[in-house]
Amino acid sequence: MRFSIIIAAYNVERYIAECVESLRRQTFPDFEAIVIDDASTDGTLDEARRAAGGDERFLFLPLPANAGQSAARNAGLDRASGEVVLFLDSDDYYRDDALQTIASRMEADDLDQLYFSAETFYENRRLRRVRYEDQESRASIEGVMPGVDLYVEFERTGAFRPSSCLYAVRRAIVEEAGLRFREGIIHEDLLFMMLLMPLPRRAAFENAPLYRRRMREGSTMTSAFSMRNVDGLFRVAQDLGAWLDGHADDYPQAFRDAYAARVFDTCHVAARYLFEIPEEDVERYRDALDPRDRIDFDLRVLHLHRAVKDVYDEMEGSRTYRLGRVFLAFPSWVKSRVVLPKAKPRDEG
């Protein structure tokens, strides 16, 4: 088994060496790492080459102009030659035995796709407080099953995580389906992952934190929410809704129900983001949409936001709610301020 590891990199001079070095430390040696530099304006590409140290398993593909993570990953998919594909964010890294663990499980169970878990570490206390994500408490799912059934289990147990960095998949499946990341949006991981989810015949979940996920200042994940976030989620919901409508007769009811709930959740997240965005930005965005998209945006996101706001306003006017909120919020407030950010594990260099 040979891996193709696709690394889209943009202005990560401070972090790319750690990412590259984690691959060179892997106990499983048979891989190619394709580093796509998305026209960085700092020393990302030079630092990546230095960290690779002439290792011929590393390929470097500089793009002529900044095109975004989707385009960079697509360029990597076009160049990939390995049997199995993984995506690695350029500011993150793998546990030293990650590839060996993935290869052993995929070969032992003849898997088309293997999902795995992550551990998040934070650069500072503020990020842990405002961008905390629960990667460590995912429920385990035993056995091998079609991707359709695994997705239902992910949603049933709350173990679903929308990241393309948390699975390995046979490249033939991606190519046969003609799958590529949608360019020009963010939250593209969710769309790609949901279109890929039903395709594998044999899929499994290895609930081990093979991936180290960095939460840092200035990344896409930690930047303030904007209409770019909302637009990305809206476009993902549109595409997923259209896919589900076109495949309504192809899959079991449990899968259709879980998929529909995920489409609604995507709209709901977009609607919640609107609470943090000035109304004039929302109106400017709506005015720029064509008539059909504007109607669809209003139906999927804007009116949901207004309905949620009405509920919040009504609840916050209740004295019982205000008292209950104080008592319920206190444990979370303490945890976010007392528990220190996770640092890089000492045993990993």
Side-chain angles (χ1 to χ4, degrees):
M1 178 178 293
R2 185 165 185 258
F3 292 109
S4 288
I5 304 165
I6 296 172
I7 307 168
Y10 177 70
N11 285 357
V12 285
E13 180 180 10
R14 291 178 55 193
Y15 309 105
I16 189 66
E18 191 169 21
C19 176
V20 169
E21 289 162 2
S22 82
L23 292 175
R24 298 188 68 190
R25 290 196 306 269
Q26 289 299 304
T27 57
F28 184 89
D30 195 3
F31 67 84
E32 64 174 2
I34 306 171
V35 181
I36 307 96
D37 181 60
D38 192 18
S40 295
T41 58
D42 64 2
T44 293
L45 185 57
D46 290 340
E47 188 64 16
R49 284 178 166 145
R50 184 201 64 75
D55 190 326
E56 294 182 353
R57 295 174 297 178
F58 289 82
L59 308 175
F60 297 95
L61 179 61
L63 298 185
N66 181 254
Q69 181 167 258
S70 291
R73 283 177 170 173
N74 289 341
L77 283 170
D78 291 341
R79 289 288 297 271
S81 62
E83 182 183 355
V84 173
V85 170
L86 297 106
F87 300 98
L88 172 60
D89 281 351
S90 53
D91 50 358
D92 298 335
Y93 59 96
Y94 288 132
R95 201 171 78 181
D96 291 358
D97 64 342
L99 297 185
Q100 182 64 66
T101 301
I102 294 167
S104 297
R105 179 71 190 276
M106 291 190 76
E107 289 175 343
D109 287 336
D110 188 25
L111 296 178
D112 298 315
Q113 187 173 23
L114 178 67
Y115 293 85
F116 47 87
S117 292
E119 182 177 357
T120 303
F121 62 100
Y122 302 81
E123 282 194 337
N124 56 55
R125 190 188 298 269
R126 188 196 75 83
L127 284 176
R128 192 189 193 287
R129 185 173 68 252
V130 302
R131 287 291 188 267
Y132 176 75
E133 58 177 24
D134 183 8
Q135 292 286 352
E136 290 81 12
S137 64
R138 298 172 74 179
S140 294
I141 300 170
E142 302 300 328
V144 176
M145 62 198 77
V148 168
D149 296 336
L150 182 58
Y151 176 64
V152 172
E153 287 301 297
F154 272 143
E155 294 289 14
R156 184 185 68 81
T157 62
F160 181 80
R161 298 292 185 275
S163 171
S164 288
C165 294
L166 300 182
Y167 58 78
V169 62
R170 293 192 183 273
R171 187 167 63 87
I173 292 177
V174 176
E175 295 305 321
E176 287 169 10
L179 280 182
R180 289 297 186 268
F181 289 88
R182 177 168 173 171
E183 299 183 14
I185 65 169
I186 57 176
H187 304 293
E188 72 286 348
D189 272 23
L190 175 59
L191 177 59
F192 187 91
M193 187 174 176
M194 292 293 289
L195 295 177
L196 176 63
M197 185 70 71
L199 301 180
R201 296 174 301 102
R202 295 179 61 82
F205 175 40
E206 181 79 18
N207 196 6
L210 306 181
Y211 193 91
R212 303 304 194 214
R213 184 172 160 94
R214 185 191 308 272
M215 197 68 70
R216 64 179 176 87
E217 300 284 1
S219 70
T220 300
M221 290 188 299
T222 61
S223 299
F225 298 131
S226 70
M227 285 307 298
R228 188 168 175 240
N229 296 92
V230 175
D231 176 71
L233 291 169
F234 167 54
R235 301 301 180 179
V236 169
Q238 280 187 313
D239 286 358
L240 293 182
W243 183 92
L244 184 58
D245 184 61
H247 294 81
D249 297 325
D250 300 339
Y251 296 102
Q253 187 64 53
F255 177 80
R256 297 198 301 265
D257 288 348
Y259 213 94
R262 179 57 53 181
V263 176
F264 175 80
D265 182 75
T266 303
C267 297
H268 189 211
V269 173
R272 294 204 313 268
Y273 284 173
L274 290 183
F275 283 103
E276 302 186 33
I277 298 171
E279 288 187 12
E280 55 268 27
D281 290 353
V282 179
E283 290 308 309
R284 191 177 303 113
Y285 171 82
R286 293 176 68 228
D287 288 344
L289 294 173
D290 66 46
R292 290 183 182 274
D293 277 347
R294 178 167 173 145
I295 291 170
D296 203 23
F297 176 78
D298 287 0
L299 289 173
R300 291 178 182 270
V301 180
L302 183 63
H303 293 306
L304 178 58
H305 164 74
R306 289 174 177 171
V308 171
K309 184 177 184 301
D310 287 345
V311 172
Y312 285 174
D313 289 346
E314 183 176 348
M315 290 175 65
E316 288 182 350
S318 163
R319 180 174 181 273
T320 302
Y321 169 78
R322 290 197 301 270
L323 290 173
R325 187 176 182 183
V326 169
F327 288 117
L328 290 173
F330 185 70
S332 297
W333 182 88
V334 171
K335 184 178 179 181
S336 70
R337 286 156 175 78
V338 172
V339 180
L340 294 175
K342 287 186 178 179
K344 178 184 172 184
R346 292 180 179 274
D347 60 350
E348 295 182 0

